Amino acid sequence: MTRPTVARVDLRALQSNYRRIAEFLSREPRAAGAPAPRPIAVVKANAYGHGASQVARALEDAGADLLACADIEEGAQLRAAGVRAEILVFGALSVSSLDGLFDGRLTPTISTPGAARAVQTAAAKHRQQVAYHLKIDTGMNRLGFRFDNLRRTLPELLASPNLRLDAVYTHFATADDPASEWFERQRTRFITALAEIEALGATPRYRHAANSAAILRDSRVWFDRVRPGLLLYGIVPPPLASTIELTPVISLISRVVAVKGMRPGEVSSYGARFTAERPTTIAIVPAGYADGLDLRLAGRGAVLIRGRRAPTVGSVCMDMLIADVTGLDASPGDEVVIIGAQGEDRIDVREMASAIGSIPWEIVCRIGSRIERLYDAPVTQ
């Protein structure tokens, strides 16, 4: 049985987005003989709530040769789903069990001296040489070797007999904020760090720095690879705009389960937060905060019913929300679009995030595990 509230995931749209991003990257003039940068498809956090196993296989069929996830456990799940492409692990490894790197043929990020020693020890135990990506902290002060201390911290790592430097990368803190000076500061620090690494005798195969926002913002940071996440799923990081023709991949859909009338002065739901000021018709929709909907949608958001907007009123409950359907002639069984298109209107993730003071990443990642994902068939090679 399927609950009334489901997420529809359009894998064909996902594959089209991947190809359009790759085409966009190929249009920028490059130095003679230099290939266009290729995407690293980011599928961490259950592919931003879309379903990592299905999304990863669809991206692989679309041509993705390198995927990225948050930790070893996510990488193991991708391998168990049959993913054959290279898988990069972004996260810290110093306190993880590292056997999964070898069982899953995963590519680690090394971002601290402690992680370097741990991976070297594990690689020696497994009698393998491990290719890794080196992360440089250029000012975000999260993970990474400090950009201004590399001559002291890197020689031990570069001398590790079982580790081979494959790539160098960094991560921008403010790529989606055009007014911030930190983006340019981090960019120049990364350039300096790359020169330092070369001076230490290292020759990485490629470099990468650009997340979705940085891809749109500045082609100087595309380097050899880019890391689209949100863009893959058809969402442009606010407040940026894009000329890439992208299609939203996920829709969140439910059904009206009850319709009732309220007299003026009557209240509805927890906290009596909604008072009918006139004869009002409300619809009950079986989706709530247990499904990932934010409490702040009450009084700020809307859903689509019969092609028109119905404001959310009262409280967002654990399993239900309430929509004002006065004048819509709504009936039990009517389709309710929480995210997506109906008729000529659309409620997209950016709009929902803006309404509640959040970000699109949080909206899609919070779509609950009890909501079944229904997948439209992808194109296979």
Side-chain angles (χ1 to χ4, degrees), residues 145-163:
F145 285 75
R146 283 190 61 99
F147 74 98
D148 54 359
N149 203 27
L150 298 178
R151 288 187 178 272
R152 187 174 70 84
T153 57
L154 278 191
E156 179 186 356
L157 169 57
L158 297 177
S160 299
N162 294 83
L163 305 182

Side-chain angles (χ1 to χ4, degrees), residues 57-130:
R57 292 198 302 267
L59 288 169
E60 195 172 29
D61 285 338
D65 64 338
L66 178 54
L67 309 174
C69 63
D71 53 36
I72 293 173
E73 291 73 21
E74 286 188 350
Q77 290 171 1
L78 295 175
R79 287 289 183 236
V83 173
R84 303 176 304 278
E86 182 181 354
I87 299 172
L88 171 64
V89 175
F90 280 148
L93 301 173
S94 56
V95 297
S96 302
S97 173
L98 299 181
D99 288 339
L101 286 176
F102 305 91
D103 297 338
R105 308 182 314 283
L106 308 177
T107 300
T109 289
I110 294 182
S111 56
T112 67
R117 297 182 192 107
V119 177
Q120 164 57 35
T121 298
K125 182 185 77 171
H126 285 266
R127 298 182 180 179
Q128 293 186 27
Q129 186 178 65
V130 174

Side-chain angles (χ1 to χ4, degrees), residues 232-260:
L232 283 176
Y233 307 105
I235 306 166
V236 177
L240 303 177
S242 173
T243 59
I244 310 173
E245 189 176 340
L246 301 171
T247 303
V249 173
I250 199 166
S251 301
L252 188 59
I253 299 168
S254 190
R255 296 277 173 186
V256 173
V257 294
V259 176
K260 65 191 308 178

Side-chain angles (χ1 to χ4, degrees), residues 19 60-64 84 379-381:
R19 295 187 179 108
E60 195 172 29
D61 285 338
R84 303 176 304 278
V379 176
T380 57
Q381 290 181 328

